Amino acid sequence: MTRRNFIRVISGTLSTGLAALCCIAEKVLPRRFTRAVRCNSYPGPVNSKKNIKNVGKWSG
Amino acid sequence: MQCELCPKLCIIEPGQSGDCRVRINIDDVLTTVVYGFPCSIHSDPIEKKPLFHFLPGTNILSLATVGCNLHCLNCQNWEISQANPEDTPAAPYPPEKLVEIARENRFPSLAYTYTDPVVYYEYTYDTAKLAHENNIRNVLVTAGYINPAPWKELLKFIDAANIDLKGISEDFYRNICSGTLKPVLDALVIAKASGILLEVTNLVIPTLNDRPEQIRRLVKWIRANLGSDTPMHFSRFSPRYKMRHLPPTSAQTLDTAREIALEEGLNYVYIGNILSAEGQNTYCPSCKALLIERSGYTILQNRLSKGCCPDCNEKIYGVWQ
């Protein structure tokens, strides 16, 4: 094997291994989670307070 | 910017929202625009969630903001879950106000429900934390479509949940809900392991997830992964949203689903959204005695004694006081 071929095989193996490690790490390591920031204003129409005594018409 | 709250992992351009419509990239800051602004807030019987093994007969202060990270074609609450905040009226209820209302009106618990509390995560989290500090319990009604890290963090302040397992096939989640199955199964397992009171609902839709073998596969998974004591609710589908061409689920289909679940060893199996004599009652898994008799959302009799069957003293899974 020539030196050039040897380097090609080594670099190919290393890059394949590195890609596999990245894939595994992405699946195994827990994703970090960043909280969203609270917006100061609501983008839609804002009502006065609601009558909370009623049973909701929605499912759940 | 990438939102890492749910498995969709939305990449959000400046000025745009994620798939849920309520988490927005404002000047490169991930912002929740519905925090403190529920579009619905009501006093519901806890049986409506449905939760049958958690403080039965009590009312629960229930709220939701607009938005959802799933887009089920059959959504029963699509007018708020699939709405934009820009178009939907809401009222200001910061966490402190909600807890104050719950205390003043003696609600023992708060429910984050109707749409999906996952999309108003920060509002749910802060309110639940504050509620716990004031001895008020927290209930989630969710599809469980959330990543493990934020889910585990939120569960620290949750006492009970009803998680909707919409089907047991990847195709169903992809084609009907625009989601995927595995994250929901993972969320169910994590919720059970966290020690909260967990109940599961399956909406039975004619021709889509109502075949006996599909029901059997679903209940087998629940028994194997969540345990035979996990209360299971089969709910009746009504034609809504983008699925108006299908008929409502028949009583016979729901009865069959219940029979299959009982055959497979689940101890507490219920039928919802339809009046059913046996399908709404709780029976002792040991001596089969009637323990809690219900009609709709009303408790007709509750024979439990300190969470146990009064006849054979079997401990019944639940939070009873």
Side-chain angles (χ1 to χ4, degrees):
Chain A
M1 182 184 282
T2 62
R3 184 186 294 170
R4 182 170 293 175
N5 274 347
F6 175 74
I7 291 170
R8 195 176 290 147
V9 169
I10 289 290
S11 62
T13 310
L14 282 177
S15 56
T16 308
L18 191 65
L21 267 179
C22 287
C23 280
I24 293 167
E26 195 181 326
K27 287 191 190 311
V28 171
L29 295 177
R31 285 193 166 271
R32 65 185 173 79
F33 169 66
T34 312
R35 276 176 63 114
V37 171
R38 174 183 180 174
C39 190
N40 291 327
S41 59
Y42 183 71
V46 176
N47 275 350
S48 55
K49 307 280 183 190
K50 295 173 183 288
N51 180 7
I52 61 155
K53 305 276 182 190
N54 297 338
V55 172
K57 69 172 181 174
W58 308 112
S59 173
Chain B
M1 163 184 299
Q2 188 166 36
C3 175
E4 292 170 326
L5 175 62
C6 90
K8 293 205 166 170
L9 296 171
C10 296
I11 292 171
I12 310 174
E13 298 294 328
Q16 300 295 310
S17 71
D19 195 43
C20 61
R21 304 163 189 248
V22 298
R23 302 173 73 78
I24 298 180
N25 177 345
I26 299 177
D27 298 331
D28 281 328
V29 177
L30 182 62
T31 308
T32 165
V33 295
V34 291
Y35 188 113
F37 287 94
C39 62
S40 299
I41 174 164
H42 300 282
S43 165
D44 285 345
I46 199 156
E47 284 75 15
K48 180 170 171 275
K49 302 298 109 191
L51 278 182
F52 280 13
H53 290 236
F54 186 80
L55 307 177
T58 61
N59 277 356
I60 184 164
L61 184 61
S62 306
L63 65 123
T65 74
V66 293
C68 189
N69 53 346
L70 295 179
H71 309 295
C72 306
L73 301 178
N74 57 290
C75 184
Q76 308 283 294
N77 293 345
W78 63 273
E79 293 98 326
I80 51 175
S81 72
Q82 306 302 317
N84 290 316
E86 293 86 342
D87 307 325
T88 313
Y93 284 92
E96 302 76 26
K97 184 73 187 164
L98 288 174
V99 171
E100 187 188 316
I101 291 170
R103 288 185 64 176
E104 278 174 5
N105 293 277
R106 301 192 175 193
F107 286 103
S109 50
L110 278 166
Y112 311 88
T113 177
Y114 303 142
T115 54
D116 202 305
V118 166
V119 304
Y120 49 96
Y121 180 89
E122 290 77 8
Y123 184 34
T124 302
Y125 183 97
D126 291 351
T127 308
K129 189 175 176 194
L130 190 63
H132 259 199
E133 288 166 11
N134 287 273
N135 297 319
I136 296 164
R137 289 186 255 199
N138 297 298
V139 166
L140 295 178
V141 182
T142 173
Y145 203 60
I146 183 169
N147 282 329
W151 184 228
K152 287 177 188 168
E153 202 56 38
L154 177 60
L155 286 170
K156 290 176 187 170
F157 304 106
I158 300 303
D159 301 280
N162 188 309
I163 300 182
D164 194 6
L165 180 55
K166 295 169 186 289
I168 198 68
S169 79
E170 199 60 52
D171 281 353
F172 184 91
Y173 267 88
R174 284 190 191 280
N175 299 335
I176 308 297
C177 309
S178 73
T180 48
L181 171 64
K182 182 151 189 317
V184 180
L185 300 182
D186 291 345
L188 281 159
V189 171
I190 291 169
K192 190 73 179 187
S194 76
I196 65 165
L197 183 287
L198 177 65
E199 304 194 18
V200 178
T201 293
N202 174 241
L203 185 76
V204 183
I205 308 175
T207 73
L208 294 180
N209 64 358
D210 66 338
R211 291 206 307 275
E213 61 269 25
Q214 291 169 315
I215 303 280
R216 197 173 295 279
R217 204 146 68 85
L218 186 138
V219 294
K220 274 185 172 174
W221 185 90
I222 288 174
R223 191 184 173 196
N225 294 279
L226 308 178
S228 56
D229 272 348
T230 306
M232 175 80 219
H233 301 260
F234 290 108
S235 283
R236 185 189 201 211
F237 158 84
S238 302
R240 297 271 166 83
Y241 193 38
K242 295 181 179 174
M243 209 170 270
R244 293 170 193 262
H245 58 292
L246 293 178
T249 320
S250 70
Q252 192 189 345
T253 302
L254 294 166
D255 284 338
T256 305
R258 182 169 180 267
E259 280 163 23
I260 290 169
L262 291 170
E263 267 171 36
E264 290 297 334
L266 293 190
N267 288 331
Y268 311 104
V269 188
Y270 304 103
I271 292 173
N273 291 349
I274 189 169
L275 282 178
S276 158
E278 287 194 343
Q280 292 185 315
N281 298 338
T282 302
Y283 296 92
C284 174
S286 175
C287 71
K288 311 297 177 200
L290 174 65
L291 298 175
I292 304 176
E293 186 181 7
R294 303 178 181 85
S295 175
Y297 303 137
T298 309
I299 305 277
L300 300 179
Q301 60 165 326
N302 182 350
R303 298 180 59 240
L304 281 174
S305 167
K306 293 179 183 168
C308 296
C309 172
D311 298 337
C312 70
N313 214 28
E314 173 84 359
K315 191 168 176 11
I316 306 300
Y317 174 73
V319 174
W320 304 109
Q321 51 188 316

